[in-house]
Amino acid sequence: MEKSKVLVVGGTGFIGRRLIAASLAQGHPTFILMRPEIGLDVDKLQTLLSFKAKGARLVEASLDDHAGLVAAVKQVDVVVSALSGTHIRSQHKLVEAIKEAGNVKRFLPSEFGTDPSRMGHALEPGRAIFNEKMELRRAIEAASIPHTYISANCFAAYFCPNLAQIGTLLPPKDKVRVYGDGNVKVIFVDEDDAATYTIKSLDDPRTLNKTIYLRPPENILSQNDLIAKWEKLSGNVLEKIFIPVDEFLSSMKDMDFGGQIVMGHFYHFFYEGCLSNFDIGEDGAEATLLWPDVAYTRMDDYMKRYL
Amino acid sequence: MEKSKVLVVGGTGFIGRRLIAASLAQGHPTFILMRPEIGLDVDKLQTLLSFKAKGARLVEASLDDHAGLVAAVKQVDVVVSALSGTHIRSQHKLVEAIKEAGNVKRFLPSEFGTDPSRMGHALEPGRAIFNEKMELRRAIEAASIPHTYISANCFAAYFCPNLAQIGTLLPPKDKVRVYGDGNVKVIFVDEDDAATYTIKSLDDPRTLNKTIYLRPPENILSQNDLIAKWEKLSGNVLEKIFIPVDEFLSSMKDMDFGGQIVMGHFYHFFYEGCLSNFDIGEDGAEATLLWPDVAYTRMDDYMKRYL
């Protein structure tokens, strides 16, 4: 079967770049939306040109240019959005364009995190983001656009080598803050693997109108598991500072908006266990079961890069 | 001869990344200063880790940590700074560390543009930057630190595919603003080539305490030459709007600080011809004559990436 033509929107970001690389690697004709603002950022432009050199096609259009977006969407079969958090709402423009174009066989909005359909109870102010994602889902479904939602859980770069410490991306050297008793199961995913699974889903009938959860069995780990792996790798035993839930939540109060959003996520992941405390039902499927051929990266191998 | 050990400072920036790649490619044991603030930027950190995976060594120290800088510098033979414009002054801290360490055989401060020693007459506010670079040179020379200054002229990504248009990095589609009569000779350099020549200079006795000018003969081009090359490549004839010098200079007045700096550079390059209007004297040498083996990139080949 011929591989679908894919348009990536948000192709210069953290996950977008990986989606393009995965799309090219899996043999999809790959198109990238080149927004005018990207053309002013020398690094982002060079990133786009490096993908062009590898065979991707750049399609110029602004998110505010409806006709341009429709024309871009008409060139492809599948649209994958990797727009960052601040642009969630802009994706309604993409939905409008896809609706008008009428040819798209699959749309993947920018999700790649926690499943928002299970986060109606989330702490403010972070809940607003889940609500926006749900509003977008309703617009997609109201327009009868075939879709797939990807719940990729914790991207390793942000959560794993720092042993889930807030405010750093590097491994701690002497002390580590442990949330609660540190035994809640969290799910870590190598971001390149997240991109690989996402692209695998595009032409797979088993993923149509479903949510795909990325749950690599060996990467379902508690914070204590993660710390133990790092201690073994580094040969360095860390002092553990256990943070009771009340202390954690009360420390949020004085933070700015961004800080509160981050803390809210950590609360749900590491105290509540929101990533692992449910069974995937009929509306979903699990990535490593769908595509057992993907050799995903284990977190000790991931952390070796930081030694 | 064994290749010098190189420490790159500012390794995640536009030219820094290329210097590291060139240093590794030319077989230098390559060290990168990992400043704490880099560890908070996921993309910069991933860039550093990708270099680590290719054999570079990350050395942790802040620019404000004198002892840490001295220790970093003591591990290498050569220090190359690629700190961006806003950090020019911080390089005095590097000079202090190199002075104390006492082992460095060559220091290259972050230059890579116009030769500041010829820009004492430059327009304000841009002149302040040239003055800061000259102050740094005086500190280097007062400390008797062996050095090389690299004058790399116009990095292609910023000046060539946009046909020297201000406010875009992409080729214009229908109109092009031409400075004066468009016949002043400017010098364009592929930024990867700039990095290659820079690394070539590190162990070369001919470059000790000299300024190395990058003047690839086929890249000494007027704006008209550049436009003609693009028109030939793209098959698209552009409308030329000629901007007399008075009009150009008076349009600067209402601009903000950053805009005035950019305009000042364009004035000196495209009206005054400051890159090409002098002969290299005894204190300098020209890169393509020193290393004729480097197959540098011509600007039509460079621009093909943008077609």
Side-chain angles (χ1 to χ4, degrees):
Chain A
M1 195 183 77
E2 209 166 301
K3 299 259 184 178
S4 283
K5 291 182 211 153
V6 179
L7 174 69
V8 178
V9 181
T12 58
F14 182 74
I15 189 67
R17 291 195 301 272
R18 291 170 167 85
L19 288 167
I20 293 165
S23 177
L24 290 168
Q26 291 181 38
H28 289 275
T30 304
F31 296 65
I32 310 171
L33 192 73
M34 181 159 98
R35 291 174 284 149
E37 54 272 33
I38 288 172
L40 298 176
D41 179 317
V42 74
D43 290 325
K44 290 188 174 182
L45 181 57
Q46 299 275 318
T47 298
L48 289 184
L49 291 171
S50 73
F51 286 126
K52 183 169 178 286
K54 288 174 185 148
R57 284 186 36 195
L58 308 183
V59 185
E60 287 186 57
S62 160
L63 288 174
D64 295 317
D65 163 20
H66 179 67
L69 278 186
V70 171
V73 163
K74 278 198 173 158
Q75 296 185 59
V76 299
D77 310 302
V78 170
V79 178
V80 182
S81 169
L83 287 166
S84 65
T86 49
H87 287 101
I88 293 173
R89 224 181 282 251
S90 311
Q91 294 180 107
H92 286 278
K93 295 169 187 168
L94 216 46
V95 170
E96 288 306 310
I98 291 170
K99 195 171 155 184
E100 183 172 327
N103 63 307
V104 166
K105 295 192 294 189
R106 198 78 70 95
F107 174 47
L108 280 74
S110 191
E111 295 245 351
F112 307 110
T114 319
D115 180 1
S117 76
R118 298 175 191 274
M119 298 305 292
H121 67 289
L123 295 180
E124 289 289 9
R127 192 165 72 208
I129 298 170
F130 296 121
N131 290 345
E132 283 197 1
K133 287 188 173 178
M134 286 309 291
E135 263 181 53
L136 188 78
R137 286 190 181 190
R138 283 191 285 267
I140 293 165
E141 291 160 21
S144 299
I145 296 172
H147 56 270
T148 300
Y149 306 134
I150 304 289
S151 177
N153 298 308
C154 288
F155 284 157
Y158 290 100
F159 291 96
C160 166
N162 59 359
L163 307 178
Q165 303 304 284
I166 294 172
T168 179
L169 297 168
L170 292 168
K173 293 209 167 44
D174 43 0
K175 294 174 191 176
V176 60
R177 288 163 59 92
V178 181
Y179 308 116
D181 62 6
N183 288 326
V184 168
K185 291 288 181 188
V186 182
I187 306 173
F188 302 93
V189 180
D190 176 295
E191 34 279 329
D192 291 316
D193 293 342
T196 299
Y197 288 122
T198 301
I199 299 299
K200 283 263 181 190
S201 77
L202 304 183
D203 282 336
D204 194 319
R206 297 172 297 174
T207 63
L208 182 63
N209 298 335
K210 299 230 163 159
T211 299
I212 305 306
Y213 297 88
L214 276 47
R215 291 185 167 184
E218 293 195 44
N219 293 350
I220 303 175
L221 301 168
S222 70
Q223 196 189 359
N224 286 334
D225 294 336
L226 203 62
I227 295 168
K229 281 181 190 296
W230 177 251
E231 288 183 331
K232 193 175 165 193
L233 279 171
S234 65
N236 180 23
V237 176
L238 299 163
E239 183 191 340
K240 282 89 186 167
I241 301 163
F242 292 88
I243 316 291
V245 64
D246 293 350
E247 188 185 317
F248 186 88
L249 288 174
S250 68
S251 70
M252 278 179 74
K253 292 201 181 73
D254 300 326
M255 293 195 170
D256 63 11
F257 187 78
Q260 290 196 12
I261 289 178
V262 170
M263 293 287 280
H265 277 88
F266 274 77
Y267 167 75
H268 292 294
F269 300 162
F270 291 94
Y271 288 97
E272 184 187 87
C274 74
L275 302 179
S276 61
N277 68 2
F278 61 91
D279 292 323
I280 299 169
E282 285 298 302
D283 295 337
E286 198 281 310
T288 68
L289 295 175
L290 290 174
W291 307 289
D293 55 307
V294 175
Y296 69 82
T297 300
R298 273 69 175 165
M299 288 302 108
D300 17 19
D301 281 324
Y302 194 98
M303 288 193 284
K304 277 181 192 161
R305 304 171 195 169
Y306 292 73
L307 279 174
Chain B
M1 195 183 77
E2 209 164 301
K3 299 257 184 178
S4 283
K5 291 182 212 154
V6 179
L7 174 68
V8 178
V9 181
T12 58
F14 182 75
I15 189 67
R17 291 195 302 272
R18 291 168 167 85
L19 289 167
I20 292 165
S23 177
L24 290 168
Q26 292 180 39
H28 290 276
T30 304
F31 297 66
I32 311 170
L33 192 72
M34 182 159 97
R35 291 175 284 149
E37 55 272 34
I38 288 171
L40 298 177
D41 179 318
V42 75
D43 291 325
K44 290 187 174 181
L45 180 58
Q46 299 277 318
T47 299
L48 289 184
L49 291 171
S50 73
F51 285 126
K52 182 169 178 288
K54 288 174 186 148
R57 284 187 37 196
L58 308 182
V59 185
E60 287 186 56
S62 160
L63 288 174
D64 295 317
D65 164 20
H66 179 68
L69 279 185
V70 171
V73 163
K74 279 199 174 159
Q75 295 184 60
V76 298
D77 311 301
V78 170
V79 178
V80 182
S81 167
L83 287 165
S84 65
T86 48
H87 288 100
I88 293 173
R89 224 181 280 252
S90 310
Q91 294 180 105
H92 286 277
K93 295 169 187 168
L94 216 46
V95 170
E96 288 306 310
I98 291 169
K99 195 170 154 184
E100 183 172 326
N103 62 307
V104 165
K105 294 192 295 191
R106 199 78 70 95
F107 175 46
L108 281 74
S110 190
E111 296 244 350
F112 307 110
T114 319
D115 180 359
S117 76
R118 299 177 192 272
M119 299 306 291
H121 68 290
L123 295 180
E124 288 290 9
R127 192 165 71 207
I129 298 170
F130 296 122
N131 290 345
E132 284 198 2
K133 286 188 174 179
M134 287 309 292
E135 262 180 54
L136 188 78
R137 286 190 181 189
R138 282 190 286 266
I140 293 166
E141 291 160 22
S144 301
I145 296 171
H147 56 270
T148 299
Y149 305 134
I150 303 289
S151 177
N153 297 309
C154 288
F155 283 157
Y158 289 99
F159 291 97
C160 166
N162 59 359
L163 307 179
Q165 303 304 285
I166 294 172
T168 178
L169 296 168
L170 293 168
K173 293 210 166 39
D174 42 359
K175 295 175 190 175
V176 60
R177 288 164 57 94
V178 181
Y179 307 116
D181 62 7
N183 287 327
V184 168
K185 291 287 181 189
V186 182
I187 306 174
F188 303 93
V189 179
D190 176 296
E191 35 279 329
D192 290 316
D193 293 342
T196 298
Y197 288 123
T198 300
I199 299 298
K200 284 261 181 193
S201 77
L202 303 184
D203 282 337
D204 194 319
R206 297 173 296 174
T207 64
L208 182 63
N209 298 336
K210 299 233 163 159
T211 299
I212 304 306
Y213 297 89
L214 276 48
R215 291 185 166 184
E218 292 195 44
N219 292 352
I220 303 175
L221 301 167
S222 69
Q223 196 189 359
N224 286 334
D225 294 335
L226 203 62
I227 294 168
K229 281 181 190 294
W230 177 251
E231 288 183 331
K232 193 173 165 195
L233 278 172
S234 65
N236 179 23
V237 176
L238 299 163
E239 182 191 340
K240 281 88 186 166
I241 301 162
F242 292 89
I243 316 292
V245 64
D246 292 349
E247 189 185 316
F248 186 88
L249 288 174
S250 68
S251 71
M252 279 179 72
K253 292 201 182 72
D254 299 327
M255 293 195 170
D256 62 11
F257 187 78
Q260 290 196 12
I261 289 179
V262 170
M263 293 286 281
H265 278 87
F266 274 77
Y267 167 75
H268 292 294
F269 300 162
F270 291 94
Y271 287 96
E272 184 187 86
C274 74
L275 302 179
S276 61
N277 68 2
F278 61 91
D279 291 323
I280 298 170
E282 286 297 302
D283 295 337
E286 199 281 310
T288 68
L289 296 176
L290 290 174
W291 306 290
D293 55 308
V294 175
Y296 68 83
T297 299
R298 273 70 174 164
M299 287 303 109
D300 18 19
D301 281 324
Y302 194 97
M303 288 194 284
K304 277 181 191 160
R305 304 171 195 170
Y306 291 73
L307 279 174

